């Protein structure tokens, strides 16, 4: 066994699945297990067979569905649990029983109502019994994070002697500090005489937000298996997240450690787990959050456009994200706008870029982020307003439940400004009536279409109009976050063509 390989033990389907509301049916679990196999995990903890017929069945079906990873089943240090787990693993190419018992004073005295020596006996008995069914037996010392190191070392020595191939040191309550957890692992490495006969595994919970740091500290001090879940899901604040550990090892070449994970499968796996478990990922989640590769401040955007490494330690392609994104907001600079426009196929002269940038800032102040569609419209709008002879100077509308909709419109035509007020059966009708009165053209509105471009209520509304004048049809178009303004501008666009 090479000493620079870190084995990835995925417990998304066992510890992760214990989250209320995240339960999966067997078909969904098989889908996740197949994706975990593609991701390249070494072990899949498929369930706790004695806990329910559903869990038993999932372990059976996952054992049949995947062939590369070892399939692991959890038990307590109870004979019946071990027998049921062995039965559930009967189709696994490589099966592992994961048995264990609490070793902290809390667990020994108040949960199990026992004493330290009796706990060692039960641990040894459980490992020996599991060994009758499978060669690969992992032992967990529950709440090892709060267990006394000297006592823990005695337990670990005894279970390795009984045949444990992997010894799991869970920080069940997420209590440890990274240095403390690392020292615990180092203590076992240095004080358990037969430790070379087993692999030390980490299993950290995130109650203080230190699960990944603790896991990495465990690895640095000698652990060579990590128990993790996709997206860090798990009871309470969750487990150590697989993607964070894998990418930390990948980024830190100085540690000279490797995993068998195909990191390009990370995003796909993360999305599948999030969707099936109905557990959204926080946008700023490391590696897999929506914003993990999105740059929105002008200084960072400029830096990333010069060279990605200026502000990124991970190439997004390495985790299955096509590219970093430059999010256009009111804090974006000209460089980001120019870059996005050129991706969309627009190369602007410096003066055009200046005026487009001013319009962009104006829009960005009203809208959270600017989409490609918004930019297309800004560009179209830019070309159009230069040609248009009728321009909207100001617009005021009054409307509501108990008042007659009234609009006051100011329009400039060849340098002169004209004002008109009219009422109608809605704000747009009132504004159109005022415009018609101003321009003194006999026009008929043939078609009027309002569309929200994307999703949000703060989005741009797009308006298309068709008007008929003396047997000819004229088209007008405009976009604005205010749909009454967009409608009047589209109407003026069409009327300008008549004039
Ligand atoms: O957190 C924990 O201690 C566990 C064990 C059952 C391995 O999940
Ligand atoms: Zn756990």
């Amino acid at each position: 066994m090479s000493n620079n390989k870190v084995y990835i033990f995925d417990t998304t389907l066992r510890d992760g699945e214990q989250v209320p509301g995240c339960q999966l049916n067997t078909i969904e679990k098989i889908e996740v297990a197949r994706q975990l196999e593609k991701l390249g995990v070494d072990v899949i903890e498929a369930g706790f067979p004695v806990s329910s017929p559903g869990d038993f069945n999932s372990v059976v079906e996952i054992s049949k569905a995947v062939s590369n990873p070892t399939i692991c089943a959890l038990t307590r240090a109870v004979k019946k649990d071990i027998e049921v787990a062995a039965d559930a693993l009967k189709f696994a190419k490589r099966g592992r029983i994961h048995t264990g018992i609490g070793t902290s004073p809390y667990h020994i005295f108040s949960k199990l109502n026992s004493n330290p020596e009796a706990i060692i006996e039960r641990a040894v008995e459980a490992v020996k019994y599991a060994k009758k069914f499978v060669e690969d037996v992992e032992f967990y010392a529950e709440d090892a994070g709060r267990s006394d190191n000297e006592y823990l070392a005695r337990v670990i020595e005894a279970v390795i002697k009984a045949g444990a191939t992997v010894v799991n040191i869970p920080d069940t309550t997420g209590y440890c500090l990274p240095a403390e957890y690392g020292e615990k692992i180092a203590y076992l490495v240095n004080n358990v005489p037969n430790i070379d006969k087993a692999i030390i595994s980490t299993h950290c919970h995130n109650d203080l937000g230190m699960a990944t740091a603790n896991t990495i500290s465990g690895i640095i001090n000698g652990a060579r298996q990590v128990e993790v879940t996709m997206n860090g899901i798990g009871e309470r604040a969750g487990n150590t997240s697989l993607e964070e550990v894998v990418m930390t090892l990948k980024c830190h070449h100085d540690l000279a450690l490797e995993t068998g994970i195909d990191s390009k499968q990370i995003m796909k796996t993360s999305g599948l787990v999030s969707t099936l478990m109905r557990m959204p990922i926080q946008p700023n989640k490391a590696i897999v959050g929506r914003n993990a590769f999105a740059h929105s401040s002008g200084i960072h955007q400029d830096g990333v456009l010069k060279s990605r490494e200026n502000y990124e330690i991970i190439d997004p392609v390495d985790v299955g994200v096509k590219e970093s994104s430059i999010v256009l907001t009111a804090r974006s600079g000209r460089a980001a706008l120019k870059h996005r426009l050129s991706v969309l196929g627009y190369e602007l002269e410096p003066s055009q870029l200046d005026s487009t940038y001013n319009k962009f800032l104006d829009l960005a102040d009203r809208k959270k982020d600017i989409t490609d569609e918004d930019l297309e419209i800004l560009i179209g709008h830019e070309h159009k307003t230069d040609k248009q002879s009728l321009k909207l100077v100001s617009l005021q509308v009054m409307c509501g439940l108990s008042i007659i909709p009234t609009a006051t419109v100011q329009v400039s035509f060849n340098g002169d400004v004209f004002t008109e007020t009219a009422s109608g059966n809605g704000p747009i009708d009132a504004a159109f009536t005022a415009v018609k009165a101003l321009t003194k053209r006999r026009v008929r509105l043939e078609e009027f279409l309002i569309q929200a471009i994307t999703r949000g209520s703060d989005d741009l509304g797009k308006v298309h109009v068709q008007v008929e004048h003396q047997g000819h049809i004229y088209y007008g178009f405009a976009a604005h976050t205010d749909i009454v303004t967009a409608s009047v501008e589209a109407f003026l666009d069409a009327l300008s063509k008549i004039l």
Side-chain angles (χ1 to χ4, degrees):
M1 233 173 273
S2 90
N3 202 32
N4 65 351
K5 163 129 192 203
V6 176
Y7 292 89
I8 303 295
F9 175 116
D10 183 277
T11 185
T12 305
L13 295 173
R14 199 280 295 171
D15 223 351
E17 214 243 354
Q18 281 173 212
V19 179
C22 285
Q23 274 69 37
L24 302 178
N25 61 38
T26 302
I27 293 174
E28 291 168 328
K29 284 188 188 174
I30 289 172
E31 200 179 339
V32 172
R34 288 205 168 116
Q35 182 55 34
L36 290 172
E37 183 173 36
K38 274 198 202 144
L39 179 67
V41 304
D42 300 287
V43 184
I44 293 177
E45 188 164 46
F48 180 14
V50 83
S51 68
S52 73
D55 246 42
F56 179 89
N57 196 36
S58 297
V59 176
V60 171
E61 295 306 325
I62 291 169
S63 299
K64 291 181 193 163
V66 301
S67 44
N68 290 330
T70 294
I71 306 300
C72 180
L74 185 80
T75 79
R76 294 165 295 179
V78 170
K79 279 190 168 171
K80 175 80 185 155
D81 285 26
I82 294 169
E83 286 158 14
V84 174
D87 191 22
L89 287 170
K90 58 182 174 279
F91 295 105
K93 259 197 176 166
R94 272 178 298 278
R96 175 184 296 179
I97 291 178
H98 188 189
T99 189
I101 196 161
T103 54
S104 70
Y106 297 95
H107 283 233
I108 297 173
F109 301 110
S110 91
K111 180 182 145 181
L112 300 163
N113 200 14
S114 182
N115 65 70
E117 298 315 313
I119 291 294
I120 296 183
E121 259 175 53
R122 270 187 72 182
V124 167
E125 236 181 79
V127 171
K128 283 190 175 157
Y129 195 59
K131 273 304 240 202
K132 292 189 194 297
F133 302 96
V134 288
E135 179 42 42
D136 193 2
V137 174
E138 173 168 340
F139 174 81
Y140 64 86
E142 196 177 4
D143 205 13
R146 294 186 298 171
S147 300
D148 170 68
N149 286 350
E150 247 176 75
Y151 174 67
L152 187 61
R154 284 180 54 216
V155 176
I156 296 302
E157 183 182 351
V159 295
I160 294 175
K161 200 165 159 221
T165 45
V166 181
V167 285
N168 178 12
I169 313 300
D171 184 20
T172 306
T173 56
Y175 168 78
C176 286
L177 295 170
E180 188 183 5
Y181 189 74
E183 278 159 23
K184 194 173 282 288
I185 302 296
Y187 186 89
L188 298 176
V189 169
N190 296 322
N191 292 283
V192 174
N194 53 0
I195 198 70
D196 58 313
K197 307 258 177 329
I199 293 175
I200 301 179
S201 183
T202 67
H203 179 114
C204 299
H205 280 264
N206 205 30
D207 299 66
L208 293 174
M210 286 188 276
T212 299
N214 285 348
T215 299
I216 298 294
S217 179
I219 295 172
I220 290 171
N221 284 285
R224 285 294 175 269
Q225 176 181 281
V226 290
E227 305 196 3
V228 290
T229 61
M230 204 63 224
N231 304 334
I233 63 161
E235 265 188 281
R236 308 186 309 278
N239 288 58
T240 305
S241 93
L242 179 150
E243 63 277 12
E244 291 174 14
V245 174
V246 167
M247 293 316 290
T248 300
L249 297 184
K250 201 165 165 139
C251 284
H252 280 266
H253 303 286
D254 47 314
L255 296 177
L257 293 167
E258 56 187 40
T259 69
I261 294 293
D262 173 3
S263 63
K264 290 196 168 71
Q265 293 289 333
I266 284 180
M267 279 315 276
K268 192 169 173 203
T269 317
S270 160
L272 180 71
V273 167
S274 164
T275 308
L276 292 181
M277 291 196 164
R278 292 165 284 278
M279 184 86 161
I281 300 168
Q282 73 191 58
N284 59 330
K285 166 80 184 64
I287 321 292
V288 293
R290 170 161 43 88
N291 294 345
F293 299 100
H295 304 273
S296 65
S297 83
I299 295 171
H300 287 210
Q301 291 179 338
D302 184 50
V304 165
L305 291 171
K306 284 178 179 143
S307 169
R308 193 187 56 72
E309 281 95 345
N310 284 337
Y311 283 101
E312 277 179 359
I313 55 167
I314 296 169
D315 185 341
V317 172
D318 281 350
V319 295
V321 175
K322 263 216 272 140
E323 54 183 1
S324 342
S325 56
I326 301 285
V327 182
L328 293 175
T329 68
R331 290 183 307 285
S332 300
R334 276 179 177 68
L337 178 65
K338 186 166 183 259
H339 166 78
R340 194 67 218 157
L341 286 171
S342 90
V343 169
L344 295 174
Y346 298 102
E347 298 300 340
L348 302 192
E349 297 295 324
S351 66
Q352 283 177 308
L353 180 64
D354 279 349
S355 77
T356 306
Y357 184 64
N358 289 337
K359 287 191 183 124
F360 158 78
L361 285 183
D362 183 45
L363 179 62
D365 272 339
R366 282 174 283 136
K367 204 170 171 280
K368 277 193 279 307
D369 40 50
I370 305 291
T371 63
D372 287 351
E373 288 99 326
D374 296 334
L375 290 183
E376 301 264 7
I377 287 158
L378 275 185
I379 292 287
H381 196 63
E382 157 95 342
H383 297 325
K384 191 175 57 193
T385 47
D386 291 345
K387 287 188 247 131
Q388 198 176 312
S389 56
L390 285 168
K391 287 186 181 154
L392 184 64
V393 176
S394 77
L395 170 68
Q396 258 187 6
V397 287
M398 279 197 315
C399 60
L401 248 191
S402 50
I403 53 170
I404 296 170
T406 308
T408 300
V409 183
Q410 272 197 329
V411 171
S412 79
F413 179 60
N414 291 341
D416 296 319
V417 175
F418 302 90
T419 307
E420 187 65 66
T421 299
S423 53
N425 58 18
I428 295 174
D429 186 48
F432 278 22
T433 307
V435 170
K436 279 192 227 167
L438 267 177
T439 56
K440 300 190 172 60
R441 287 292 183 278
R442 289 167 73 84
V443 292
R444 196 155 46 86
L445 192 60
E446 289 279 319
E447 214 168 298
F448 175 62
L449 177 70
I450 302 182
Q451 281 174 302
I453 291 168
T454 46
R455 295 150 291 262
S457 60
D458 65 340
D459 228 320
L460 277 181
K462 244 190 338 185
V463 178
H464 290 269
V465 297
Q466 273 182 39
V467 299
E468 188 272 337
H469 175 66
Q470 295 180 347
H472 294 283
I473 296 290
Y474 298 87
Y475 297 91
F477 169 75
H480 201 279
T481 48
D482 177 320
I483 52 159
V484 183
T485 303
S487 304
V488 175
E489 287 190 334
F491 195 40
L492 290 173
D493 184 32
L495 294 178
S496 291
K497 290 166 187 163
I498 299 174
L499 294 173

